[in-house]
């Protein structure tokens, strides 16, 4: 049986996984999910990327939005707001609240996040094994100019770090990110099963997830990047940038923070040939194939818009085909 490990962020990763699962229904798919987006709100631990994967593959996702539950209501949020308790800018719905309550209750009882995720997946049956990248707390912070602070003596604006969700959801990435820091990653350990899954994998895939705050954060957990690079199996990625703009989200803002141009070729070079063996770019970026190959990464141009499950399954097939070419 084919074993595939996929590193995944939120919406892009989840939709890709749905296509992959339908392209290779018999494969054993292990998903290593980003937990750098996790946030504690109202005393509850919220894991947006794990939940997005779980709900998307389990049939409970709000399809148009790409995150949160279908047929959601917001009574609890409204009641909290009536007490003056926020943040109001983060949309936690009533159905979604139940997930965070169960998760937080189990964590308080001493279960690690990996065990909690397995328990939550027992309900959703996503058809993949979903592992958090780590059981330890990692929180992505973004360094921005502080509009409320006086400039320093050097005339430069003072800066402050905000939680990734505040940057992404409240500020809509409307201000420049000077740095992206996965706080806690340095001392985090890969969750049980992550390194084993990589070691036993036939292929590792990077879906068109955010290369900085999703896949970059997973790779920042000591041991994961090394395990993938040393696994000796094809590692193939799909570009989240099509025609010099992110397919969705605001990846350009965080790419700039790490000094990477918003282009399919630059993202491939950012991962580097030491990690990546194959790279799929969209047909509109066919002109960059030669440059990526010169950098030592096998590259093909294929349609990369995840219009529906069929189109996404075809992308997954192309990624697996490229993996076979690399392996040969
Ligand atoms: N994204 C938004 O744009 N606005 C929200 O209010 C919001 C709430 C939310 C609640 C639970 C959840 O699992 C995800 C949520 N997201 C929301 C998505 C999330 O902020 C990001 O898209 C991901 O963290 C990036 O992968």
């Amino acid at each position: 049986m084919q074993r595939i490990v996929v590193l995944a962020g939120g919406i892009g990763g989840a939709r890709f996984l749905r296509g992959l699962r339908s392209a290779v229904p018999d494969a054993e798919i292990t998903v290593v999910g980003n937990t750098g987006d996790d946030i504690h709100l109202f005393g509850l631990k919220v894991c947006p990327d794990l939940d997005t994967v779980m709900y998307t593959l389990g049939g409970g996702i709000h399809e148009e939005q790409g995150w949160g539950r279908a047929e959601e209501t917001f009574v609890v949020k409204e009641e909290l707001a009536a007490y003056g308790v926020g943040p109001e800018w983060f949309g936690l719905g009533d159905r979604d609240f139940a997930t965070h309550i169960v998760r937080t209750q189990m964590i308080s009882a001493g279960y690690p996040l990996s065990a909690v995720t397995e328990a939550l997946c027992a309900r959703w049956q996503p058809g993949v094994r979903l592992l958090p990248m780590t059981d330890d707390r990692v929180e992505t912070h973004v360094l921005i100019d502080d509009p409320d602070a006086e400039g320093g003596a050097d005339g430069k604006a003072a800066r402050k770090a905000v939680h990734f969700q505040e940057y992404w959801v409240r500020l809509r990435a409307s201000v420049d990110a000077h740095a992206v820091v996965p706080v806690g990653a340095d001392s985090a350990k890969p969750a049980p099963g992550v390194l084993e899954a990589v070691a036993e994998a036939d292929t590792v895939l990077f879906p068109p997830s955010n290369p900085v705050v999703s896949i970059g954060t997973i790779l920042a957990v000591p041991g994961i990047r090394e395990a993938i690079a040393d696994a000796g199996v094809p590692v193939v990625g799909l570009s989240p940038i099509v025609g010099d703009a992110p397919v969705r989200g605001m990846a350009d803002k965080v790419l700039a923070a790490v000094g990477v141009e918003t282009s399919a070729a630059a993202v491939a070079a950012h991962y580097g040939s030491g990690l990546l063996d194959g790279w799929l770019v969209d047909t509109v970026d066919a002109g960059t194939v030669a440059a990526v190959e010169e950098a030592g990464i096998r590259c093909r141009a294929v349609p990369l818009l995840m219009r529906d499950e069929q189109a996404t399954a075809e992308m997954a097939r192309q990624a697996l085909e490229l993996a076979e070419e690399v392996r040969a």
Side-chain angles (χ1 to χ4, degrees), residues 152-167:
D154 56 2
K156 286 190 187 152
R159 290 176 174 178
K160 68 170 180 177
V162 294
H163 189 285
F164 169 74
Q165 295 296 349
E166 185 171 354
Y167 182 71

Side-chain angles (χ1 to χ4, degrees), residues 6-18 31-38 47-57 61 65-68 130 164-165 168 207-211 213-215 218 248 306:
V6 183
L7 308 193
I11 304 170
R15 289 187 176 158
F16 174 75
L17 282 161
R18 201 157 52 180
V31 180
V32 180
N34 170 42
T35 57
D37 292 19
D38 293 6
C47 300
D49 284 1
L50 293 180
D51 289 349
T52 298
V53 169
M54 185 174 77
Y55 295 155
T56 301
L57 296 180
I61 199 74
Q65 208 166 237
W67 52 268
L130 177 59
F164 169 74
Q165 295 296 349
W168 210 243
S209 288
N210 190 305
V213 295
S214 298
I215 296 181
I218 300 170
R248 55 166 304 117
M306 297 192 280

Side-chain angles (χ1 to χ4, degrees), residues 173-193:
S174 57
V175 297
D176 287 343
H178 300 296
V180 177
V181 185
V183 179
D186 282 356
S187 55
K189 289 177 296 301

Side-chain angles (χ1 to χ4, degrees), residues 202-295:
D202 299 307
T203 308
V204 177
L205 297 179
F206 295 177
S209 288
N210 190 305
V212 181
V213 295
S214 298
I215 296 181
T217 309
I218 300 170
L219 294 172
V221 175
I224 297 186
R225 174 189 288 273
E226 298 75 4
I228 293 172
D230 297 345
V233 298
V235 180
V236 172
L238 297 92
S239 176
I241 309 294
V242 169
D244 297 339
V247 179
R248 55 166 304 117
M250 302 153 283
D252 46 330
K253 288 299 209 167
V254 286
L255 278 169
V258 296
V260 176
E261 185 191 283
T262 305
S263 74
V267 173
H270 173 64
Y271 286 131
S273 59
L275 187 64
L276 208 57
D277 302 302
W279 188 238
L280 291 181
V281 299
D282 187 79
T283 41
V284 303
D285 295 311
T288 67
V289 168
V292 175
E293 294 221 315
E294 259 164 50

